[in-house]
Amino acid sequence: MSEGKLSVGKAFLLQAKEDLHATETLGHDISLSPSTFCMLLQMVFEKLAKAYRHRHTYSIPAQLRHEIAGAHFNKTIDEIIRKNPQKHKYYKRIMGLIRTLEDAQPAIAKRKSVHEPQLEYPWENEKHEICYPAKDFPFVQRLLAHTDDIRTAWEALKFAKAYINELDASIRS
């Protein structure tokens, strides 16, 4: 460990806390800006995975991958479920949301297909219509329809907050 130097992991963790605060603020009325809520929530989980991965790193890596949140939280949530099998459905819903949001991160979505919905930017669907997240992103549409996905989103926020607290205790600088 570099004495007194901020680790890359701690920097990601501190930014994830800021992003989580903004996400929680928007979450009080998700219907006002659901696509921004989803984008911020995706960013929280991506930064938390990077915080864990780089918790002992003291210089920014040349390349930071975007697609690490799904793999990281899949492993983390599987461990939690093994310890608490009665909460299987609860954690699987959260993992499903993390995967949905990560798949829509622009760099990942574009690799899958030019027609794949994205969280931040407009895209062209298979009918060559221009779409944008606030109107056309499928999870946003479900949030606006007041489905159980709103509850899952709040569960994901609660999970992220608890995970931040755990990481904060283990990443000293």
Side-chain angles (χ1 to χ4, degrees):
M1 180 165 105
S2 297
E3 198 61 42
K5 188 174 181 185
L6 184 68
S7 73
V8 175
K10 187 67 168 193
F12 272 116
L13 181 63
L14 293 170
Q15 190 58 48
K17 283 182 178 184
E18 174 80 12
D19 292 351
L20 181 65
H21 178 71
T23 309
E24 287 176 318
T25 300
L26 275 176
H28 289 293
D29 190 353
I30 290 174
S31 66
L32 292 176
S33 193
S35 65
T36 304
F37 172 85
C38 289
M39 179 188 67
L40 285 171
L41 188 56
Q42 182 276 324
M43 292 170 69
V44 166
F45 283 107
E46 182 178 339
K47 287 177 183 128
L48 288 175
K50 288 177 179 175
Y52 180 83
R53 174 176 263 175
H54 298 290
R55 64 195 180 281
H56 303 301
T57 305
Y58 290 89
S59 59
I60 302 288
Q63 188 169 1
L64 291 168
R65 294 177 43 217
H66 294 288
E67 64 281 349
I68 68 168
H72 174 74
F73 285 104
N74 197 35
K75 180 181 172 190
T76 302
I77 286 174
D78 281 348
E79 289 173 15
I80 293 169
I81 289 171
R82 274 195 295 279
K83 293 175 187 172
N84 302 298
Q86 71 280 8
K87 293 197 171 195
H88 181 268
K89 278 186 172 179
Y90 172 80
Y91 285 111
K92 286 297 181 182
R93 280 195 313 268
I94 292 170
M95 189 61 233
L97 176 56
I98 292 170
R99 253 189 242 110
T100 295
L101 298 177
E102 183 174 278
D103 286 347
Q105 195 276 351
I108 296 169
K110 286 177 189 175
R111 272 187 255 140
K112 291 171 79 179
S113 166
V114 295
H115 304 297
E116 197 69 25
Q118 298 179 36
L119 278 174
E120 296 178 56
Y121 307 118
W123 70 93
E124 191 174 300
N125 68 16
E126 291 178 356
K127 296 177 186 173
H128 303 288
E129 300 165 327
I130 303 300
C131 301
Y132 63 102
K135 178 182 164 282
D136 301 302
F137 187 68
F139 188 75
V140 166
Q141 293 171 340
R142 293 196 315 260
L143 286 176
L144 290 171
H146 300 288
T147 64
D148 286 341
D149 291 309
I150 290 175
R151 182 183 56 161
T152 301
W154 273 101
E155 290 169 347
L157 282 171
K158 182 179 172 185
F159 175 76
K161 194 174 219 170
Y163 193 78
I164 281 173
N165 291 336
E166 284 180 35
L167 272 182
D168 207 13
S170 69
I171 302 175
R172 295 204 172 100
S173 63

